[in-house]
Amino acid sequence: DTAVSQTPKYLVTQMGNDKSIKCEQNLGHDTMYWYKQDSKKFLKIMFSYNNKELIINETVPNRFSPKSPDKAHLNLHINSLELGDSAVYFCASSQGLNNYNEQFFGPGTRLTVL
Amino acid sequence: DQQVKQNSPSLSVQEGRISILNCDYTNSMFDYFLWYKKYPAEGPTFLISISSIKDKNEDGRFTVFLNKSAKHLSLHIVPSQPGDSAVYFCAASAQGSNYKLTFGKGTLLTVNP
């Protein structure tokens, strides 16, 4: 039973389109994250939500809008996709914000913008 | 600005020998360090961590060493096994930053049978 799942696994789309990536965790965690791994292989935090409240927003363009309908879900909507948005996007979750609890990652969504 | 650096993009070792993966950091506010392991087409999985109040943490075949004065940490895997072949990411966190993780670029470890 997958702990952190993401859909879709692969996403190929044209520049200018709008797309969404969904993330769900069944670990009962209260904190969720979105990371971007670009072509240089750096894993960088984009957003984190704790109990559906935005906690971290790392100067990501406002074309990226996270939505947390409940504690188990954190979706990422991207408007007006650009070539530079091509990357692997990882969702993660952890229990608690004010501690060093381990983050559990999803398998990633490879986004290719043509 | 790379606050966490893994200067070796790859490392190859023989099965049974020791693997040593290195990580340097520049931010003196970091007080917690983690290693994640990643197989292709999967997300990173937590391996081992260390708090800045310690200089060593051991878990089975995996040991992490922290040298705060040098702002350096290393992951030792002994004995190395072919199943250890993966990308290893070093990550760091600071108490005052909402505990966000800052990752290095990763080191691809290949353990040859």
Side-chain angles (χ1 to χ4, degrees), chain A residues 31-36 44-50 53-67 74-78 89-92 103, chain B residues 100:
Chain A
T31 306
M32 295 185 73
Y33 312 80
W34 276 109
Y35 287 84
K36 178 181 179 181
K44 292 184 181 176
I45 182 81
M46 299 174 68
F47 303 101
S48 79
Y49 270 73
N50 174 254
E53 181 183 346
L54 180 65
I55 300 297
I56 295 175
N57 182 342
E58 283 291 298
T59 59
V60 176
N62 57 16
R63 298 182 296 103
F64 290 78
S65 52
K67 295 272 191 310
L74 181 61
N75 303 322
L76 184 64
H77 189 75
I78 315 170
Y89 292 84
F90 289 98
C91 177
Q103 293 183 21
Chain B
K100 73 173 185 181

Side-chain angles (χ1 to χ4, degrees), chain B residues 12 14-17 22 36 43-44 52 56 65 77 80 83 88 90 95 97 108 110-111:
Chain B
S12 183
Q14 284 300 120
E15 181 178 6
R17 306 295 291 268
N22 293 305
Y36 277 79
S52 60
K56 177 183 174 181
F65 295 92
I77 306 173
S80 301
Y88 289 78
C90 172
Q95 195 172 14
S97 66
L108 173 62
T110 303
V111 180

